[in-house]
Amino acid sequence: MPSRYAAELTQLHADVATLIADAKGRDGADRSEALQRAQDMLAEEPDVFEMCEMEATTVETQDQLTEYRQTADNLRKQLADEIAGANRSELFDGGTMLEPKKNSQFAELDAIKQKSKNSTNELRKALQQLDETEQVSADTLKELHRQRQTIENIDSKVDSSHESVKRSNKLVDKMRSFFG
């Protein structure tokens, strides 16, 4: 005999499956509400599953847990597909089931994709300009460093020249005093 939690988990899976099936036949707010209720119920599933795991003592109950997990995973996938508005027939039917509303949604999606591509291209161009600017600034910094070294060398030579002029002046002064 299944445990209370196993029965609760089985009922939860059945209720979620029913809500997903009902959502397929609905539109607008009713569809969204049914899908939200299914999503909320599936959010409770891990807690109930955990209780079932605690009660699982035999190989048979372990196998049952594996089936519960697969059922829950399938329900999550179906719910995700329904929330995305793309059940299998819509995706693989060549577009014959698309409503005008969905065509406008696809057009809007294409526009968003194009805007995203344009933004990406603009960002790439900006990054390229940033790299070029960085290279120019590095080259400018190198050139300024070279010019500073040149100026320091000139300053050193000027100082040396001043010392030579001072020595020459002293020598000329000594020569004048010696000769006269």
Side-chain angles (χ1 to χ4, degrees):
M1 178 173 171
S3 73
R4 180 186 87 126
Y5 294 110
E8 186 178 337
L9 191 58
T10 302
Q11 185 61 47
L12 186 138
H13 288 164
D15 291 347
V16 169
T18 301
L19 284 169
I20 292 171
D22 287 348
K24 290 181 181 184
R26 296 180 181 183
D27 285 333
D30 290 339
R31 181 177 195 276
S32 296
E33 183 182 323
L35 292 174
Q36 184 61 49
R37 283 184 27 226
Q39 192 171 22
D40 292 343
M41 290 178 81
L42 268 179
E44 297 172 14
E45 189 268 345
D47 295 333
V48 179
F49 184 82
E50 185 177 337
M51 297 306 292
C52 287
E53 279 183 316
M54 286 186 215
E55 292 181 338
T57 56
T58 65
V59 173
E60 184 179 288
T61 54
Q62 290 293 330
D63 291 342
Q64 188 65 40
L65 284 175
T66 302
E67 289 178 30
Y68 289 150
R69 179 56 57 211
Q70 289 172 347
T71 300
D73 290 343
N74 288 337
L75 287 171
R76 281 188 182 84
K77 184 181 180 316
Q78 289 175 11
L79 181 62
D81 288 347
E82 277 305 311
I83 289 173
N87 65 27
R88 187 169 178 77
S89 63
E90 289 172 330
L91 289 173
F92 296 108
D93 196 15
T96 57
M97 294 185 67
L98 295 177
E99 302 166 9
K101 179 181 172 186
K102 290 184 181 173
N103 283 333
S104 69
Q105 288 173 341
F106 285 130
E108 186 177 331
L109 182 61
D110 287 340
I112 291 170
K113 284 181 183 178
Q114 186 60 42
K115 188 175 182 180
S116 177
K117 284 180 184 177
N118 291 344
S119 296
T120 301
N121 289 338
E122 291 296 320
L123 284 172
R124 284 188 180 134
K125 287 177 186 176
L127 282 173
Q128 185 179 8
Q129 288 176 344
L130 183 63
D131 288 341
E132 290 172 3
T133 302
E134 188 176 353
Q135 184 61 42
V136 167
S137 65
D139 292 344
T140 302
L141 188 60
K142 285 179 187 176
E143 179 62 22
L144 287 172
H145 184 15
R146 188 191 63 75
Q147 289 176 1
R148 179 181 179 175
Q149 287 178 332
T150 302
I151 290 171
E152 286 174 352
N153 287 340
I154 291 171
D155 188 44
S156 173
K157 289 180 181 179
V158 167
D159 287 344
S160 177
S161 296
H162 281 297
E163 288 298 318
S164 292
V165 168
K166 282 182 183 177
R167 279 192 310 240
S168 297
N169 282 340
K170 284 182 182 177
L171 187 59
V172 168
D173 287 343
K174 283 183 182 179
M175 291 171 72
R176 276 190 198 148
S177 67
F178 183 72
F179 292 112

